[in-house]
Amino acid sequence: MSKDEIFCDCEVIHADILEEVKTRMPIEEDIYDLSDFFKVLGDSTRLKIISALDAHEMCVCDIAVLLNMTKSAISHQLRYLKQADLVKFRKEGKVVFYSLKDDHVKDIFEIGMEHIKEK
């Protein structure tokens, strides 16, 4: 271990802290669901789609042109995002417009971008 590494060398268990934290820990099912949620966001193409939809609602054709991808590939990724409840759609005649599901999705994306740009 290098001298720059920080580690705890104590033998004291802080029971009061452990009990407080235990009461605040999410249940296992919620942790697994959150993990799956972040896995959906772990794809750069899906994040590009979220970025585009953060700016404006768009149809599949427009997203495909923007990202230089096929409509089929975009539809496939939108299906994942819809199943994860991150996007919604509305029909206008034959055109289907996609947008972010709610402000939570917008906030998660924007706060994440803000965080990585802090460097």
Side-chain angles (χ1 to χ4, degrees):
M1 189 174 294
S2 79
K3 64 179 180 178
D4 293 335
E5 290 185 58
I6 299 173
F7 65 97
C8 184
D9 195 26
C10 72
E11 299 293 328
V12 177
I13 301 300
H14 302 92
D16 54 334
I17 294 172
L18 287 173
E19 285 306 311
E20 179 187 341
V21 172
K22 277 183 185 179
T23 64
R24 299 179 75 188
M25 292 288 290
I27 62 172
E28 285 291 318
E29 184 178 342
D30 289 345
I31 290 290
Y32 290 127
D33 290 346
L34 185 60
S35 174
D36 289 342
F37 172 79
F38 282 115
K39 285 177 189 172
V40 171
L41 295 176
D43 180 273
S44 61
T45 299
R46 290 193 282 267
L47 284 176
K48 288 177 186 177
I49 292 170
I50 288 173
S51 177
L53 297 178
D54 185 41
H56 202 281
E57 76 171 356
M58 299 177 76
C59 72
V60 174
C61 298
D62 290 340
I63 299 170
V65 169
L66 177 69
L67 302 183
N68 195 29
M69 296 175 68
T70 65
K71 290 189 294 185
S72 175
I74 296 299
S75 293
H76 179 74
Q77 297 302 329
L78 283 166
R79 196 171 313 114
Y80 277 114
L81 293 170
K82 189 172 177 301
Q83 287 171 346
D85 212 24
L86 298 173
V87 299
K88 62 184 178 182
F89 68 92
R90 70 176 181 84
K91 290 185 176 185
E92 195 172 288
K94 292 184 177 184
V95 182
V96 179
F97 289 97
Y98 285 86
S99 60
L100 298 180
K101 177 75 179 206
D102 56 33
D103 286 340
H104 295 117
V105 179
K106 181 180 185 66
D107 292 345
I108 290 165
F109 175 75
E110 290 178 357
I111 290 169
M113 288 301 290
E114 181 181 327
H115 178 71
I116 63 151
K117 290 182 176 186
E118 283 180 343
K119 298 177 186 176

